[in-house]
Structure formats: structure tokens, C-alpha cells
Amino acid sequence: YFGCGLVVPESLERCHVLDLGSGSGRDCYILSKLVGPNGHVTGVDMTDELIQLSRKYISYHQEKFGYKETNTEFIQGYIEKLGEAGIQYNKFDVLVSNCVICLCPDKKAVFAEAYRALK
């Protein structure tokens, strides 16, 4: 597990959350519980291996949380190019990123895409 500790707002129920650089998906699953069955969490990561690992546990968490439908998805792509990854603009209430933006050489592009993704 890589990361610096997850910091999230207290009231996330029904929110749409985007995790920039979701890695193994652990933070997304914590957020999945916090947004509840009427919220949604999208994780984006550039590595296929971590996306595949994250997706392995979607059904497990859906069942564990008692949700009729999954509220979590993982998309492979670059956080500097969210639109190219298929991330909708003007959709998300909250964005999180756990020690990933600091690794991106083009931080201006990351923040521009993050701004576009927010409502």
C-alpha cells in the first residue's frame, strides 16, 4: 500500500467522488462506504495492473456494504488527461488524491483537468 493517509470531508453521503491516482483502490472503497448506495466513486490510475487489482474487489465491497448495485468503478488513464480517459467533466462533487499529484511532471495539466471534472 502506497499513500500518506486518507483525508476526506465528513459529509460525503450521495456525493460523486473522483480519486486521482487510485492505486490499489483502498481509498476508493473507504469512500464507497462514506458516499453510501446513492453516491458514486471513480478511481483513475495509469497502471493497468493496479486497475485490475482494484476491480477484483468491487463485488466483495458491494456485498460487504449491503449495496444492491456497485457504486465504485476504476478507469485506466492519466490524471493529466481525464477527458481522454473518459472521465466526464462537470460531474464530481469532491476530488481526492493520496500522494499522487506530487509525482506528476505537469501539475498545471492535472489541476486544469481536476477543475473541469468538478461541478
Side-chain angles (χ1 to χ4, degrees), residues 3-117:
C4 302
L6 180 61
V7 178
V8 295
E10 292 181 22
S11 299
L12 288 177
E13 193 167 343
R14 297 178 181 252
C15 285
H16 284 77
V17 179
L18 178 62
D19 184 356
L20 302 175
S22 56
S24 65
R26 289 183 185 207
D27 291 351
C28 289
Y29 290 119
I30 293 168
L31 293 162
S32 170
K33 180 67 172 166
L34 295 172
V35 300
N38 297 312
H40 193 269
V41 179
T42 302
V44 177
D45 201 272
M46 67 180 209
T47 59
D48 182 58
E49 296 82 9
L50 289 174
I51 291 297
Q52 296 307 318
L53 176 65
S54 300
R55 288 176 178 162
K56 281 177 56 175
Y57 298 100
I58 290 175
S59 296
Y60 169 83
H61 285 91
Q62 176 185 345
E63 184 179 316
K64 185 80 169 169
F65 299 154
Y67 297 163
K68 291 181 182 177
E69 297 180 17
T70 184
N71 70 345
T72 309
E73 68 178 325
F74 296 96
I75 297 173
Q76 184 178 4
Y78 291 92
I79 63 175
E80 299 93 330
K81 299 176 181 181
L82 294 174
E84 288 182 18
I87 299 298
Q88 290 182 334
Y89 294 143
N90 196 34
K91 178 180 178 178
F92 296 92
D93 302 298
V94 177
L95 279 89
V96 298
S97 184
N98 191 343
C99 295
V100 174
I101 296 173
C102 62
L103 302 173
C104 296
D106 190 353
K107 291 168 186 54
K108 186 175 181 178
V110 172
F111 286 112
E113 286 292 278
Y115 183 78
R116 288 184 193 107

